[in-house]
Protein backbone atom coordinates (compact mmCIF):
# COMPACT_ATOMS: atom_id res chain seq x y z
CA UNK A 1 0.00 0.00 0.00
CA UNK A 2 2.88 2.38 0.73
CA UNK A 3 4.84 1.65 -2.48
CA UNK A 4 1.94 1.18 -4.91
CA UNK A 5 -1.06 2.86 -3.29
CA UNK A 6 -3.34 3.33 -6.30
CA UNK A 7 -2.92 -0.14 -7.87
CA UNK A 8 -3.31 -1.73 -4.44
CA UNK A 9 -6.52 0.17 -3.72
CA UNK A 10 -7.84 -0.58 -7.20
CA UNK A 11 -7.18 -4.33 -7.06
CA UNK A 12 -8.49 -4.57 -3.50
CA UNK A 13 -11.68 -2.82 -4.53
CA UNK A 14 -12.08 -5.11 -7.54
CA UNK A 15 -11.52 -8.22 -5.45
CA UNK A 16 -14.05 -7.16 -2.82
CA UNK A 17 -16.59 -6.31 -5.50
CA UNK A 18 -16.03 -9.76 -6.96
CA UNK A 19 -16.73 -11.27 -3.53
CA UNK A 20 -19.86 -9.15 -3.23
CA UNK A 21 -21.13 -10.27 -6.61
CA UNK A 22 -20.47 -13.92 -5.77
CA UNK A 23 -22.41 -13.57 -2.51
CA UNK A 24 -25.26 -11.87 -4.36
CA UNK A 25 -25.40 -14.61 -6.99
CA UNK A 26 -25.44 -17.41 -4.42
CA UNK A 27 -28.28 -15.64 -2.62
CA UNK A 28 -30.48 -15.76 -5.72
CA UNK A 29 -32.83 -18.70 -5.22
CA UNK A 30 -33.67 -19.04 -8.92
CA UNK A 31 -30.07 -19.04 -10.13
CA UNK A 32 -29.05 -22.35 -11.71
CA UNK A 33 -25.38 -21.63 -12.32
CA UNK A 34 -22.76 -19.06 -11.49
CA UNK A 35 -22.47 -16.30 -14.08
CA UNK A 36 -18.76 -15.70 -14.59
CA UNK A 37 -19.31 -12.98 -17.20
CA UNK A 38 -21.30 -10.92 -14.74
CA UNK A 39 -18.73 -11.55 -12.03
CA UNK A 40 -15.89 -10.34 -14.28
CA UNK A 41 -17.85 -7.26 -15.38
CA UNK A 42 -18.51 -6.03 -11.87
CA UNK A 43 -15.08 -6.95 -10.51
CA UNK A 44 -13.56 -4.93 -13.34
CA UNK A 45 -15.89 -2.05 -12.63
CA UNK A 46 -14.85 -2.26 -9.00
CA UNK A 47 -11.21 -1.78 -9.98
CA UNK A 48 -12.08 1.45 -11.79
CA UNK A 49 -14.36 2.57 -8.98
CA UNK A 50 -11.59 1.91 -6.47
CA UNK A 51 -9.35 4.40 -8.28
CA UNK A 52 -12.12 7.00 -8.43
CA UNK A 53 -12.92 6.74 -4.73
CA UNK A 54 -9.27 6.63 -3.68
CA UNK A 55 -8.66 9.90 -5.53
CA UNK A 56 -11.80 11.36 -3.97
CA UNK A 57 -10.69 10.55 -0.43
CA UNK A 58 -7.25 12.09 -1.06
CA UNK A 59 -8.65 15.26 -2.59
CA UNK A 60 -11.31 15.73 0.06
CA UNK A 61 -8.77 15.22 2.83
CA UNK A 62 -6.57 17.89 1.27
CA UNK A 63 -9.51 20.26 0.78
CA UNK A 64 -10.27 20.10 4.51
CA UNK A 65 -6.62 20.54 5.55
CA UNK A 66 -6.11 24.05 6.91
CA UNK A 67 -2.42 23.97 5.91
CA UNK A 68 -3.18 23.71 2.19
CA UNK A 69 -3.30 26.89 0.14
CA UNK A 70 -6.66 25.89 -1.34
CA UNK A 71 -8.93 24.65 1.42
CA UNK A 72 -12.51 24.88 2.62
CA UNK A 73 -11.77 27.12 5.59
CA UNK A 74 -10.04 29.82 3.54
CA UNK A 75 -12.78 29.76 0.92
CA UNK A 76 -15.58 29.96 3.49
CA UNK A 77 -13.85 32.43 5.79
CA UNK A 78 -14.22 30.17 8.83
CA UNK A 79 -11.46 30.79 11.39
CA UNK A 80 -10.52 27.45 12.95
CA UNK A 81 -8.67 28.88 15.95
CA UNK A 82 -11.84 30.39 17.40
CA UNK A 83 -15.09 28.68 18.45
CA UNK A 84 -14.72 25.73 16.10
CA UNK A 85 -11.26 24.57 17.20
CA UNK A 86 -12.41 22.25 20.06
CA UNK A 87 -14.85 20.57 17.65
CA UNK A 88 -12.68 20.58 14.53
CA UNK A 89 -12.53 16.78 14.17
CA UNK A 90 -16.29 16.35 14.43
CA UNK A 91 -16.85 19.33 12.12
CA UNK A 92 -14.61 17.84 9.42
CA UNK A 93 -16.34 14.46 9.70
CA UNK A 94 -19.81 15.93 9.30
CA UNK A 95 -18.67 18.24 6.52
CA UNK A 96 -17.05 15.31 4.67
CA UNK A 97 -20.30 13.34 4.80
CA UNK A 98 -22.35 16.30 3.56
CA UNK A 99 -19.97 17.08 0.70
CA UNK A 100 -19.90 13.43 -0.33
CA UNK A 101 -23.66 12.95 -0.21
CA UNK A 102 -24.79 16.19 -1.83
CA UNK A 103 -21.90 17.00 -4.20
CA UNK A 104 -19.77 13.98 -4.98
CA UNK A 105 -22.31 11.14 -5.05
CA UNK A 106 -24.64 12.82 -7.59
CA UNK A 107 -21.61 13.30 -9.85
CA UNK A 108 -20.09 9.83 -9.52
CA UNK A 109 -23.44 8.03 -9.66
CA UNK A 110 -24.76 10.14 -12.54
CA UNK A 111 -21.60 10.08 -14.67
CA UNK A 112 -20.00 6.75 -13.71
CA UNK A 113 -22.04 4.22 -11.75
CA UNK A 114 -25.31 4.35 -13.67
CA UNK A 115 -23.93 4.99 -17.18
CA UNK A 116 -21.23 2.31 -16.90
CA UNK A 117 -23.71 -0.19 -15.45
CA UNK A 118 -26.06 0.57 -18.32
CA UNK A 119 -23.38 -0.15 -20.89
CA UNK A 120 -22.06 -3.22 -19.07
CA UNK A 121 -25.57 -4.63 -18.97
CA UNK A 122 -25.93 -4.34 -22.73
CA UNK A 123 -27.65 -0.96 -22.95
CA UNK A 124 -26.72 1.66 -25.51
CA UNK A 125 -25.71 5.29 -25.18
CA UNK A 126 -29.19 6.52 -26.02
CA UNK A 127 -30.62 4.80 -22.92
CA UNK A 128 -28.09 6.25 -20.45
CA UNK A 129 -29.94 9.53 -19.79
CA UNK A 130 -33.22 7.70 -19.18
CA UNK A 131 -31.56 5.36 -16.70
CA UNK A 132 -29.87 8.23 -14.86
CA UNK A 133 -33.13 10.19 -14.64
CA UNK A 134 -35.08 7.21 -13.32
CA UNK A 135 -32.56 5.83 -10.83
CA UNK A 136 -30.37 8.64 -9.50
CA UNK A 137 -32.84 9.91 -6.90
CA UNK A 138 -33.58 6.50 -5.40
CA UNK A 139 -29.90 5.60 -5.42
CA UNK A 140 -28.97 8.75 -3.51
CA UNK A 141 -31.68 8.10 -0.91
CA UNK A 142 -30.52 4.53 -0.43
CA UNK A 143 -26.91 5.69 -0.24
CA UNK A 144 -27.78 8.15 2.53
CA UNK A 145 -29.65 5.51 4.53
CA UNK A 146 -26.86 2.95 4.39
CA UNK A 147 -23.67 4.99 4.26
CA UNK A 148 -24.25 7.89 6.63
CA UNK A 149 -23.45 5.80 9.70
CA UNK A 150 -20.59 3.98 7.99
CA UNK A 151 -19.09 7.31 6.95
CA UNK A 152 -19.02 8.48 10.55
CA UNK A 153 -16.45 5.75 11.11
CA UNK A 154 -14.68 6.15 7.76
CA UNK A 155 -14.22 9.92 7.94
CA UNK A 156 -13.95 10.18 11.71
CA UNK A 157 -11.55 7.35 12.57
CA UNK A 158 -9.97 5.66 9.53
CA UNK A 159 -6.74 7.15 8.04
CA UNK A 160 -7.20 8.41 4.48
CA UNK A 161 -5.00 5.70 2.89
CA UNK A 162 -7.18 2.93 4.31
CA UNK A 163 -10.57 4.49 3.62
CA UNK A 164 -11.18 2.83 0.22
CA UNK A 165 -10.37 -0.61 1.69
CA UNK A 166 -12.52 -0.21 4.81
CA UNK A 167 -15.27 1.28 2.69
CA UNK A 168 -15.31 -1.74 0.41
CA UNK A 169 -15.30 -4.15 3.35
CA UNK A 170 -18.40 -2.41 4.69
CA UNK A 171 -19.78 -2.58 1.18
CA UNK A 172 -19.49 -6.37 1.07
CA UNK A 173 -21.94 -6.59 3.94
CA UNK A 174 -24.33 -4.12 2.33
CA UNK A 175 -24.21 -5.78 -1.06
CA UNK A 176 -24.74 -9.27 0.37
CA UNK A 177 -28.07 -8.07 1.79
CA UNK A 178 -29.31 -7.26 -1.68
CA UNK A 179 -30.41 -10.22 -3.80
CA UNK A 180 -28.90 -8.99 -7.05
CA UNK A 181 -25.71 -7.27 -8.07
CA UNK A 182 -26.90 -5.74 -11.30
CA UNK A 183 -29.32 -3.03 -12.23
CA UNK A 184 -31.83 -3.05 -15.05
CA UNK A 185 -29.84 -0.41 -16.85
CA UNK A 186 -29.94 -1.93 -20.27
CA UNK A 187 -30.40 -5.66 -20.43
CA UNK A 188 -28.08 -8.64 -20.39
CA UNK A 189 -29.62 -11.55 -22.23
CA UNK A 190 -27.94 -14.13 -20.03
CA UNK A 191 -28.50 -12.41 -16.71
CA UNK A 192 -31.51 -10.24 -15.93
CA UNK A 193 -32.01 -10.09 -12.17
CA UNK A 194 -35.13 -8.59 -10.66
CA UNK A 195 -35.59 -7.20 -7.17
CA UNK A 196 -37.90 -4.68 -5.60
CA UNK A 197 -37.63 -0.93 -5.62
CA UNK A 198 -34.46 0.34 -4.07
CA UNK A 199 -35.97 1.85 -0.94
CA UNK A 200 -37.43 -1.50 0.16
CA UNK A 201 -34.35 -3.58 -0.59
CA UNK A 202 -32.92 -3.63 2.90
CA UNK A 203 -36.23 -4.60 4.47
CA UNK A 204 -38.13 -7.13 2.38
CA UNK A 205 -39.36 -8.04 -1.08
CA UNK A 206 -43.00 -7.56 -1.94
CA UNK A 207 -45.06 -7.98 -5.07
CA UNK A 208 -45.28 -10.56 -7.81
CA UNK A 209 -42.50 -11.54 -10.16
CA UNK A 210 -44.32 -10.14 -13.18
CA UNK A 211 -44.55 -6.62 -11.78
CA UNK A 212 -42.32 -3.92 -13.21
CA UNK A 213 -39.63 -3.35 -10.61
CA UNK A 214 -36.48 -1.30 -10.38
CA UNK A 215 -33.32 -3.31 -10.03
CA UNK A 216 -31.01 -1.94 -7.43
CA UNK A 217 -27.66 -0.40 -7.69
CA UNK A 218 -25.41 -0.91 -4.78
CA UNK A 219 -24.83 2.33 -2.96
CA UNK A 220 -21.26 1.53 -2.40
CA UNK A 221 -17.87 3.13 -2.42
CA UNK A 222 -16.48 1.11 -5.19
CA UNK A 223 -19.38 1.36 -5.45
CA UNK A 224 -19.73 -1.67 -7.54
Amino acid sequence: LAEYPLPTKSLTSGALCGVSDAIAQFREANRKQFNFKRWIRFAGKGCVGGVIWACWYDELDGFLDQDNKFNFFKLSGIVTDQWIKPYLGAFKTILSILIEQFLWCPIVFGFFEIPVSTLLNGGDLSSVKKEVDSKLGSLLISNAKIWTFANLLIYGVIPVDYRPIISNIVDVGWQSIVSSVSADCGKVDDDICIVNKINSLVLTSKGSDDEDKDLAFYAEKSRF
Side-chain angles (χ1 to χ4, degrees):
L1 185 61
E3 295 184 5
Y4 307 101
L6 207 56
T8 301
K9 294 171 184 177
S10 175
L11 292 175
T12 301
S13 177
L16 291 171
C17 285
V19 171
S20 299
D21 179 61
I23 293 173
Q25 289 200 46
F26 284 125
R27 286 174 58 90
E28 295 170 10
N30 60 343
R31 176 166 297 281
K32 297 181 179 179
Q33 61 182 4
F34 190 83
N35 190 324
F36 285 97
K37 290 183 179 179
R38 190 180 92 173
W39 180 77
I40 292 173
R41 283 199 303 269
F42 283 92
K45 185 172 180 291
C47 290
V48 178
V51 173
I52 291 174
W53 281 93
C55 292
W56 162 251
Y57 284 130
D58 289 340
E59 292 300 320
L60 181 61
D61 190 64
F63 183 59
L64 297 181
D65 186 350
Q66 307 94 293
D67 295 329
N68 284 345
K69 293 181 178 180
F70 181 79
N71 66 69
F72 169 81
F73 300 99
K74 288 183 178 180
L75 291 176
S76 63
I78 296 177
V79 181
T80 59
D81 60 352
Q82 294 181 356
W83 63 270
I84 200 173
K85 187 174 182 179
Y87 315 102
L88 187 59
F91 180 79
K92 286 184 176 181
T93 298
I94 295 173
L95 186 60
S96 297
I97 294 173
L98 292 176
I99 292 175
E100 177 184 308
Q101 178 64 27
F102 294 104
L103 177 63
W104 176 242
C105 283
I107 294 173
V108 75
F109 290 162
F111 290 93
F112 174 70
E113 299 290 354
I114 300 176
V116 171
S117 294
T118 299
L119 299 177
L120 286 178
N121 284 339
D124 53 35
L125 289 174
S126 62
S127 64
V128 169
K129 184 179 184 301
K130 178 182 177 182
E131 299 295 346
V132 172
D133 290 342
S134 65
K135 291 176 174 60
L136 182 59
S138 295
L139 181 57
L140 290 172
I141 292 172
S142 181
N143 179 77
K145 289 179 179 179
I146 299 300
W147 282 97
T148 297
F149 296 105
N151 281 337
L152 289 173
L153 172 66
I154 291 169
Y155 286 115
V157 179
I158 306 300
V160 64
D161 286 340
Y162 294 93
R163 286 175 185 172
I165 298 174
I166 300 301
S167 173
N168 280 277
I169 291 175
V170 174
D171 190 45
V172 170
W174 153 235
Q175 293 186 11
S176 66
I177 294 174
V178 185
S179 63
S180 172
V181 74
S182 63
D184 62 343
C185 294
K187 293 183 179 179
V188 179
D189 53 5
D190 63 343
D191 192 22
I192 300 177
C193 306
I194 298 180
V195 294
N196 271 335
K197 291 184 178 180
I198 193 163
N199 286 334
S200 65
L201 284 175
V202 184
L203 300 177
T204 185
S205 278
K206 299 179 180 179
S208 60
D209 292 338
D210 58 350
E211 290 177 334
D212 291 331
K213 301 172 184 177
D214 293 331
L215 273 82
F217 285 98
Y218 291 132
E220 29 77 6
K221 297 284 188 185
S222 46
R223 268 179 176 158
F224 270 93

mmCIF file of all heavy atoms in Angstrom, residues 187-209:
data_model
loop_
_atom_site.group_PDB
_atom_site.id
_atom_site.type_symbol
_atom_site.label_atom_id
_atom_site.label_comp_id
_atom_site.label_asym_id
_atom_site.label_seq_id
_atom_site.Cartn_x
_atom_site.Cartn_y
_atom_site.Cartn_z
ATOM 1 N N LYS A 187 -30.045 -4.284 -20.731
ATOM 2 C CA LYS A 187 -30.404 -5.660 -20.428
ATOM 3 C C LYS A 187 -29.291 -6.588 -20.861
ATOM 4 O O LYS A 187 -28.672 -6.417 -21.898
ATOM 5 C CB LYS A 187 -31.703 -6.060 -21.134
ATOM 6 C CG LYS A 187 -32.926 -5.320 -20.601
ATOM 7 C CD LYS A 187 -34.179 -5.805 -21.288
ATOM 8 C CE LYS A 187 -35.408 -5.088 -20.736
ATOM 9 N NZ LYS A 187 -36.651 -5.528 -21.410
ATOM 10 N N VAL A 188 -29.036 -7.597 -20.046
ATOM 11 C CA VAL A 188 -28.085 -8.642 -20.386
ATOM 12 C C VAL A 188 -28.890 -9.891 -20.665
ATOM 13 O O VAL A 188 -29.624 -10.366 -19.811
ATOM 14 C CB VAL A 188 -27.101 -8.899 -19.226
ATOM 15 C CG1 VAL A 188 -26.145 -10.005 -19.589
ATOM 16 C CG2 VAL A 188 -26.357 -7.626 -18.906
ATOM 17 N N ASP A 189 -28.752 -10.444 -21.859
ATOM 18 C CA ASP A 189 -29.623 -11.550 -22.234
ATOM 19 C C ASP A 189 -29.389 -12.798 -21.416
ATOM 20 O O ASP A 189 -30.271 -13.639 -21.278
ATOM 21 C CB ASP A 189 -29.459 -11.884 -23.728
ATOM 22 C CG ASP A 189 -28.010 -12.129 -24.109
ATOM 23 O OD1 ASP A 189 -27.153 -12.133 -23.198
ATOM 24 O OD2 ASP A 189 -27.737 -12.303 -25.310
ATOM 25 N N ASP A 190 -28.202 -12.925 -20.802
ATOM 26 C CA ASP A 190 -27.942 -14.134 -20.032
ATOM 27 C C ASP A 190 -28.072 -13.896 -18.536
ATOM 28 O O ASP A 190 -27.825 -14.782 -17.743
ATOM 29 C CB ASP A 190 -26.524 -14.665 -20.323
ATOM 30 C CG ASP A 190 -25.443 -13.695 -19.893
ATOM 31 O OD1 ASP A 190 -25.772 -12.511 -19.682
ATOM 32 O OD2 ASP A 190 -24.284 -14.125 -19.784
ATOM 33 N N ASP A 191 -28.471 -12.672 -18.144
ATOM 34 C CA ASP A 191 -28.502 -12.408 -16.705
ATOM 35 C C ASP A 191 -29.322 -11.177 -16.385
ATOM 36 O O ASP A 191 -28.791 -10.102 -16.216
ATOM 37 C CB ASP A 191 -27.060 -12.221 -16.190
ATOM 38 C CG ASP A 191 -27.023 -12.250 -14.680
ATOM 39 O OD1 ASP A 191 -27.947 -12.800 -14.081
ATOM 40 O OD2 ASP A 191 -26.044 -11.734 -14.121
ATOM 41 N N ILE A 192 -30.632 -11.328 -16.334
ATOM 42 C CA ILE A 192 -31.505 -10.238 -15.932
ATOM 43 C C ILE A 192 -32.049 -10.574 -14.565
ATOM 44 O O ILE A 192 -32.811 -11.505 -14.394
ATOM 45 C CB ILE A 192 -32.649 -10.038 -16.940
ATOM 46 C CG1 ILE A 192 -32.070 -9.699 -18.316
ATOM 47 C CG2 ILE A 192 -33.582 -8.930 -16.475
ATOM 48 C CD1 ILE A 192 -33.114 -9.557 -19.390
ATOM 49 N N CYS A 193 -31.641 -9.815 -13.552
ATOM 50 C CA CYS A 193 -32.005 -10.095 -12.172
ATOM 51 C C CYS A 193 -33.012 -9.064 -11.714
ATOM 52 O O CYS A 193 -32.825 -7.878 -11.929
ATOM 53 C CB CYS A 193 -30.773 -10.027 -11.280
ATOM 54 S SG CYS A 193 -29.463 -11.092 -11.857
ATOM 55 N N ILE A 194 -34.066 -9.497 -11.062
ATOM 56 C CA ILE A 194 -35.135 -8.594 -10.660
ATOM 57 C C ILE A 194 -35.287 -8.579 -9.151
ATOM 58 O O ILE A 194 -35.388 -9.614 -8.522
ATOM 59 C CB ILE A 194 -36.470 -9.005 -11.316
ATOM 60 C CG1 ILE A 194 -36.335 -8.918 -12.833
ATOM 61 C CG2 ILE A 194 -37.611 -8.146 -10.812
ATOM 62 C CD1 ILE A 194 -37.585 -9.304 -13.578
ATOM 63 N N VAL A 195 -35.301 -7.386 -8.586
ATOM 64 C CA VAL A 195 -35.588 -7.204 -7.174
ATOM 65 C C VAL A 195 -36.527 -6.035 -7.038
ATOM 66 O O VAL A 195 -36.880 -5.387 -8.019
ATOM 67 C CB VAL A 195 -34.309 -6.952 -6.353
ATOM 68 C CG1 VAL A 195 -33.431 -8.168 -6.361
ATOM 69 C CG2 VAL A 195 -33.573 -5.747 -6.861
ATOM 70 N N ASN A 196 -36.936 -5.746 -5.818
ATOM 71 C CA ASN A 196 -37.895 -4.678 -5.601
ATOM 72 C C ASN A 196 -37.267 -3.305 -5.675
ATOM 73 O O ASN A 196 -36.059 -3.161 -5.835
ATOM 74 C CB ASN A 196 -38.580 -4.852 -4.240
ATOM 75 C CG ASN A 196 -39.811 -5.697 -4.341
ATOM 76 O OD1 ASN A 196 -40.440 -5.792 -5.385
ATOM 77 N ND2 ASN A 196 -40.151 -6.341 -3.247
ATOM 78 N N LYS A 197 -38.107 -2.293 -5.524
ATOM 79 C CA LYS A 197 -37.630 -0.931 -5.620
ATOM 80 C C LYS A 197 -36.593 -0.673 -4.550
ATOM 81 O O LYS A 197 -36.639 -1.210 -3.476
ATOM 82 C CB LYS A 197 -38.800 0.042 -5.486
ATOM 83 C CG LYS A 197 -39.730 -0.028 -6.685
ATOM 84 C CD LYS A 197 -40.827 1.004 -6.593
ATOM 85 C CE LYS A 197 -41.697 0.925 -7.851
ATOM 86 N NZ LYS A 197 -42.780 1.916 -7.821
ATOM 87 N N ILE A 198 -35.676 0.208 -4.858
ATOM 88 C CA ILE A 198 -34.456 0.345 -4.074
ATOM 89 C C ILE A 198 -34.709 0.698 -2.625
ATOM 90 O O ILE A 198 -33.997 0.234 -1.738
ATOM 91 C CB ILE A 198 -33.532 1.385 -4.738
ATOM 92 C CG1 ILE A 198 -32.135 1.307 -4.140
ATOM 93 C CG2 ILE A 198 -34.113 2.774 -4.631
ATOM 94 C CD1 ILE A 198 -31.123 1.990 -4.990
ATOM 95 N N ASN A 199 -35.733 1.449 -2.319
ATOM 96 C CA ASN A 199 -35.970 1.855 -0.940
ATOM 97 C C ASN A 199 -36.475 0.727 -0.066
ATOM 98 O O ASN A 199 -36.471 0.838 1.163
ATOM 99 C CB ASN A 199 -36.970 3.011 -0.897
ATOM 100 C CG ASN A 199 -36.340 4.300 -1.355
ATOM 101 O OD1 ASN A 199 -35.133 4.467 -1.243
ATOM 102 N ND2 ASN A 199 -37.129 5.203 -1.887
ATOM 103 N N SER A 200 -36.943 -0.374 -0.649
ATOM 104 C CA SER A 200 -37.425 -1.499 0.155
ATOM 105 C C SER A 200 -36.448 -2.651 0.172
ATOM 106 O O SER A 200 -36.714 -3.687 0.750
ATOM 107 C CB SER A 200 -38.771 -1.998 -0.389
ATOM 108 O OG SER A 200 -38.602 -2.527 -1.684
ATOM 109 N N LEU A 201 -35.283 -2.470 -0.440
ATOM 110 C CA LEU A 201 -34.349 -3.585 -0.591
ATOM 111 C C LEU A 201 -33.828 -4.110 0.733
ATOM 112 O O LEU A 201 -33.656 -5.306 0.924
ATOM 113 C CB LEU A 201 -33.153 -3.144 -1.446
ATOM 114 C CG LEU A 201 -33.446 -3.062 -2.938
ATOM 115 C CD1 LEU A 201 -32.237 -2.505 -3.647
ATOM 116 C CD2 LEU A 201 -33.817 -4.410 -3.499
ATOM 117 N N VAL A 202 -33.529 -3.210 1.648
ATOM 118 C CA VAL A 202 -32.919 -3.630 2.898
ATOM 119 C C VAL A 202 -33.931 -4.300 3.813
ATOM 120 O O VAL A 202 -33.552 -5.042 4.716
ATOM 121 C CB VAL A 202 -32.296 -2.414 3.606
ATOM 122 C CG1 VAL A 202 -31.577 -2.821 4.866
ATOM 123 C CG2 VAL A 202 -31.332 -1.718 2.667
ATOM 124 N N LEU A 203 -35.208 -4.069 3.572
ATOM 125 C CA LEU A 203 -36.231 -4.598 4.466
ATOM 126 C C LEU A 203 -36.793 -5.918 3.975
ATOM 127 O O LEU A 203 -36.594 -6.956 4.586
ATOM 128 C CB LEU A 203 -37.357 -3.556 4.600
ATOM 129 C CG LEU A 203 -36.905 -2.200 5.170
ATOM 130 C CD1 LEU A 203 -38.082 -1.239 5.192
ATOM 131 C CD2 LEU A 203 -36.339 -2.374 6.570
ATOM 132 N N THR A 204 -37.485 -5.904 2.841
ATOM 133 C CA THR A 204 -38.125 -7.130 2.384
ATOM 134 C C THR A 204 -38.538 -6.977 0.948
ATOM 135 O O THR A 204 -38.569 -5.875 0.419
ATOM 136 C CB THR A 204 -39.374 -7.449 3.235
ATOM 137 O OG1 THR A 204 -39.900 -8.714 2.822
ATOM 138 C CG2 THR A 204 -40.454 -6.396 3.086
ATOM 139 N N SER A 205 -38.872 -8.071 0.290
ATOM 140 C CA SER A 205 -39.357 -8.037 -1.077
ATOM 141 C C SER A 205 -40.853 -8.252 -1.071
ATOM 142 O O SER A 205 -41.355 -9.152 -0.413
ATOM 143 C CB SER A 205 -38.699 -9.140 -1.913
ATOM 144 O OG SER A 205 -37.450 -8.750 -2.355
ATOM 145 N N LYS A 206 -41.558 -7.449 -1.842
ATOM 146 C CA LYS A 206 -42.995 -7.561 -1.938
ATOM 147 C C LYS A 206 -43.391 -7.485 -3.401
ATOM 148 O O LYS A 206 -42.721 -6.881 -4.205
ATOM 149 C CB LYS A 206 -43.690 -6.437 -1.163
ATOM 150 C CG LYS A 206 -43.389 -6.440 0.333
ATOM 151 C CD LYS A 206 -44.096 -5.294 1.023
ATOM 152 C CE LYS A 206 -43.791 -5.286 2.512
ATOM 153 N NZ LYS A 206 -44.445 -4.160 3.198
ATOM 154 N N GLY A 207 -44.539 -8.062 -3.721
ATOM 155 C CA GLY A 207 -45.063 -7.975 -5.067
ATOM 156 C C GLY A 207 -44.753 -9.215 -5.854
ATOM 157 O O GLY A 207 -43.907 -10.024 -5.484
ATOM 158 N N SER A 208 -45.425 -9.366 -6.986
ATOM 159 C CA SER A 208 -45.277 -10.560 -7.805
ATOM 160 C C SER A 208 -44.114 -10.411 -8.750
ATOM 161 O O SER A 208 -43.644 -9.322 -9.040
ATOM 162 C CB SER A 208 -46.561 -10.799 -8.609
ATOM 163 O OG SER A 208 -46.808 -9.691 -9.452
ATOM 164 N N ASP A 209 -43.665 -11.540 -9.293
ATOM 165 C CA ASP A 209 -42.500 -11.536 -10.159
ATOM 166 C C ASP A 209 -42.769 -10.843 -11.479
ATOM 167 O O ASP A 209 -41.833 -10.427 -12.162
ATOM 168 C CB ASP A 209 -42.051 -12.976 -10.439
ATOM 169 C CG ASP A 209 -41.500 -13.621 -9.191
ATOM 170 O OD1 ASP A 209 -41.089 -12.870 -8.290
ATOM 171 O OD2 ASP A 209 -41.496 -14.855 -9.123
#
